[in-house]
Amino acid sequence: MDLHGDAEPFTLADVQLPEVLLDAELPALLPALAQLTGDLSLVRAEFRPAINATPLGLEPQGGLSAQCQQRARDAAEQAIRGWVARGRPAAPDLDAVELATLLEFVTGRVEHDYLPLFRHQLGYDDPPDPVGNGAEFTVVVIGAGMSGLAAAHRLRQAGISFRVIERNPEVGGVWWENSYPGCRLDTSNFSYSYSFAQQPMWQYQYSTRDSIVDYFRRTADELSLRDAISFGIEVESAVFDDRTCRWQLRLRAADGTTSTIEADALISAVGQLNKPNYPNIPGRERFAGASWHTGRWNHEVTLAGKRVAVIGTGASSFQVVPEIAPETDRLTLFQRNPPWIMPTPTYHALLKPGLRWLFRHVPGYHRWFRFHQFWVNVEGRRQFALVDPEWTHEVSVSAKNEALRQGLVAHLEQGYADRPDLLADAVPTYPPYGKRMLRDDGTWFETLKRDNVAVVTEPITEIVERGVVTADGAVHEVDVIIYGTGFRASDFLTPLRVVGRDGVDLHQQWQDDARAYLGVTVPNFPNLFLLYGPNTNLVVNGSIVMFSELAVDYVLACLRTLLDSPHRTMECRWDTLEKYYRRVDEASSLMAWGTPKVRSWYQNASGRVTQNWPLSTFEFWTRTRAPEHIDYDFG
């Protein structure tokens, strides 16, 4: 893993640079080479990529003409050859103005306040300063998934004593638990990676589940985090002791034995998408065959030659169905709502060989490629999800959202041009980004056209011993039922029992309407910090890995504030939370997923959006730099 910017050595005699550079992503390669060589002419105006996203994504190579692309490749080749001829010197130190020039080549002109965020995403942040005043202070982190590992790394850097409790036998969280066929990222793995643990060795743009689990394993190994993780132990309850101002945790090991531990502060990194949601269909328990949820895949049952029902067309089903359909005798897909599909030709493809070569051999290139991916997603897609209150279309929510909708409909029409019967049920009746957008390279279309695949849109009324009954009275006889019906995302921290100050139960306080300031802190629960908490899921403007890192930064800043004070506890004020949610809820109502015409897992039972961050990424960055004393009560 490239934690320090190292690159593999090579000789020019062993590589055809012109051919390699045909695979390069120039908007990222040019600033990478400019940084490596100190030659800022590589980021001159004629090579600057377009930064405005089109409805279906950015133009290839930033919209540069073929002639301009070739001039850029020639300049890149000369830069690489010159760097090798000089003995591959380390990149020179750039001053703030020079670094800003490189960054703004990618982003266009931005406010100076953005530059620290950009440095963070390049992975050039300094480690956090040691925290504390010499007093003994222990933190317990629940979970060793994506957020838990980030917390462990930063706590260790800050010199704070901590322990991680993980119920599974391995790191990786939801990625370790979800092992269904076809499981993979639907966001770029360059964005779905830590700023502090960037690597050049990705094989795909959208990595498989095994690649992501391997990334988390190697991160834990290379950052020496395993010694702080207790595997195979579940936290059953966490109770705040008003007298000692410490958290009392009850643990249960895999063999059933229980124990208790104490902590001065508690960090929950249990995630949102790890509690399977089974549909409330009468008779589910009567089915005589095998059945399971995609999030709890049964690898003991073979599907070869069997009649299989898949209920749901969300992200997991979208990945599962193409993988298992060829081996089944017949696959029946029960669809309630069709998904919007973003055309992604590279979804299952390996990265181009030349691009992978450049990642391995040009120091820093993978960092700039990751930064470009970050910037494209940070605000570039958000504009297509914003609601225009004056817009009156029955489906879309703005002119830009309608342009996106028309592009997506055209993609569906092209994909089902030879199957109008499938097209009739494939166009969603809700606005793009109202629900999770899925990615496809044509595999989904071809799978649904198979002779052994049928799509049923009639509502399911019950499940019987032989199979699934729909509203038209048909009995669809099957041998296996697979539930691709998502997760109980809004049930934050369940089934963990959490009791705060004065005996307040967290779930009773929330009453199925989870709220936390910045997704992190909750009134009545001193020294409790949540990661990937309420309203921190991202849809169009960034990476949940980045948001978890920023939340961890905020937790460290809170701990620094607390330990530098004479106090033992800090907790969010009610007026702070209420003011915050007035802003969040208002902003949610102006996003495609917050309109009255949409129902999705982004909302709780009452319809309030509890999952997504509706504001700008920069605002979250700004708010998580340090706590405002006025937002907290100290004790």
Side-chain angles (χ1 to χ4, degrees), residues 47-167:
F47 296 153
R48 181 169 292 125
I51 59 173
N52 295 323
T54 67
L56 296 184
L58 287 179
E59 295 182 63
Q61 301 292 8
L64 300 180
S65 68
Q67 295 81 3
C68 191
Q69 288 180 41
Q70 189 55 53
R71 290 196 297 273
R73 292 189 188 98
D74 291 343
E77 181 179 356
Q78 292 177 11
I80 293 172
R81 291 186 181 278
W83 173 67
V84 172
R86 294 192 300 275
R88 297 182 177 84
D93 292 332
L94 300 180
D95 62 30
V97 174
E98 291 169 327
L99 182 58
T101 299
L102 301 188
L103 291 165
E104 291 186 347
F105 175 81
V106 176
T107 65
R109 183 70 64 181
V110 296
E111 296 294 330
H112 182 76
D113 291 346
Y114 273 80
L115 297 181
L117 169 59
F118 293 167
R119 286 183 56 87
H120 179 278
Q121 285 304 295
L122 280 171
Y124 294 147
D125 272 355
D126 295 325
D129 294 329
V131 174
N133 53 12
E136 291 187 5
F137 193 89
T138 300
V139 178
V140 167
V141 180
I142 307 176
M146 175 268 293
S147 296
L149 291 179
H153 174 55
R154 293 305 193 197
L155 287 167
R156 175 153 289 169
Q157 286 184 316
I160 297 177
S161 175
F162 71 96
R163 178 183 177 187
V164 181
I165 308 297
E166 170 55 54
R167 67 181 182 181

Side-chain angles (χ1 to χ4, degrees), residues 537-556:
N537 185 62
L538 291 178
V539 179
V540 292
N541 57 332
S543 156
I544 61 172
V545 177
M546 177 185 69
F547 260 44
S548 287
E549 283 193 52
L550 301 187
V552 169
D553 291 347
Y554 186 74
V555 173
L556 264 291

Side-chain angles (χ1 to χ4, degrees), residues 247 498-500 504-506 509 522-528 570-571:
W247 284 93
V498 183
V499 179
V504 175
D505 182 276
L506 178 64
Q509 176 170 304
V522 184
N524 287 328
F525 294 85
N527 297 4
L528 172 66
M570 61 185 297
E571 68 179 90

Side-chain angles (χ1 to χ4, degrees), residues 103-304:
L103 291 165
E104 291 186 347
F105 175 81
V106 176
T107 65
R109 183 70 64 181
V110 296
E111 296 294 330
H112 182 76
D113 291 346
Y114 273 80
L115 297 181
L117 169 59
F118 293 167
R119 286 183 56 87
H120 179 278
Q121 285 304 295
L122 280 171
Y124 294 147
D125 272 355
D126 295 325
D129 294 329
V131 174
N133 53 12
E136 291 187 5
F137 193 89
T138 300
V139 178
V140 167
V141 180
I142 307 176
M146 175 268 293
S147 296
L149 291 179
H153 174 55
R154 293 305 193 197
L155 287 167
R156 175 153 289 169
Q157 286 184 316
I160 297 177
S161 175
F162 71 96
R163 178 183 177 187
V164 181
I165 308 297
E166 170 55 54
R167 67 181 182 181
N168 293 319
E170 184 53 275
V171 300
V174 67
W175 288 101
W176 189 88
E177 293 176 352
N178 280 262
S179 60
Y180 60 81
C183 182
R184 69 190 309 125
L185 281 168
D186 56 12
T187 59
S188 168
N189 47 231
F190 289 87
S191 296
Y192 199 93
S193 59
Y194 299 118
S195 66
F196 55 78
Q198 300 184 29
Q199 65 151 353
M201 303 306 292
W202 295 114
Q203 298 295 303
Y204 295 90
Q205 180 81 5
Y206 304 94
S207 283
T208 62
R209 173 261 184 188
D210 289 350
S211 294
I212 296 300
V213 170
D214 183 60
Y215 170 74
F216 286 130
R217 283 171 170 163
R218 289 185 292 119
T219 298
D221 290 340
E222 299 219 8
L223 297 177
S224 301
L225 300 178
R226 288 187 181 274
D227 64 326
I229 305 173
S230 299
F231 291 104
I233 298 176
E234 185 161 11
V235 179
E236 291 189 325
S237 66
V239 179
F240 184 76
D241 188 317
D242 294 290
R243 181 181 58 83
T244 64
C245 295
R246 306 192 81 204
W247 284 93
Q248 312 288 324
L249 280 68
R250 179 179 173 85
L251 313 180
R252 180 175 294 275
D255 61 6
T257 58
T258 62
S259 60
T260 59
I261 60 173
E262 294 187 357
D264 296 286
L266 181 62
I267 298 176
S268 168
V270 299
Q272 296 183 15
L273 303 178
N274 54 16
K275 295 172 284 293
N277 177 57
Y278 289 91
N280 186 23
I281 300 174
R284 216 166 34 84
E285 71 286 349
R286 298 205 305 266
F287 180 61
S291 65
W292 60 81
H293 191 279
T294 54
R296 300 292 184 267
W297 195 267
N298 186 343
H299 292 277
E300 301 300 317
V301 177
T302 178
L303 300 179

Side-chain angles (χ1 to χ4, degrees), residues 459-525:
I460 297 173
T461 57
E462 65 174 323
I463 293 176
V464 295
E465 288 186 3
R466 294 179 296 144
V468 180
V469 181
T470 49
D472 58 0
V475 179
H476 304 267
E477 295 190 1
V478 295
D479 305 304
V480 176
I481 297 177
I482 298 171
Y483 296 99
T485 46
F487 298 88
R488 301 194 337 259
S490 61
D491 294 350
F492 290 91
L493 273 72
T494 58
L496 176 63
R497 177 173 174 260
V498 183
V499 179
R501 181 171 48 80
D502 298 328
V504 175
D505 182 276
L506 178 64
H507 298 295
Q508 290 180 6
Q509 176 170 304
W510 276 345
Q511 295 184 343
D512 298 322
D513 189 15
R515 298 170 187 255
Y517 180 56
L518 300 176
V520 178
T521 59
V522 184
N524 287 328
F525 294 85

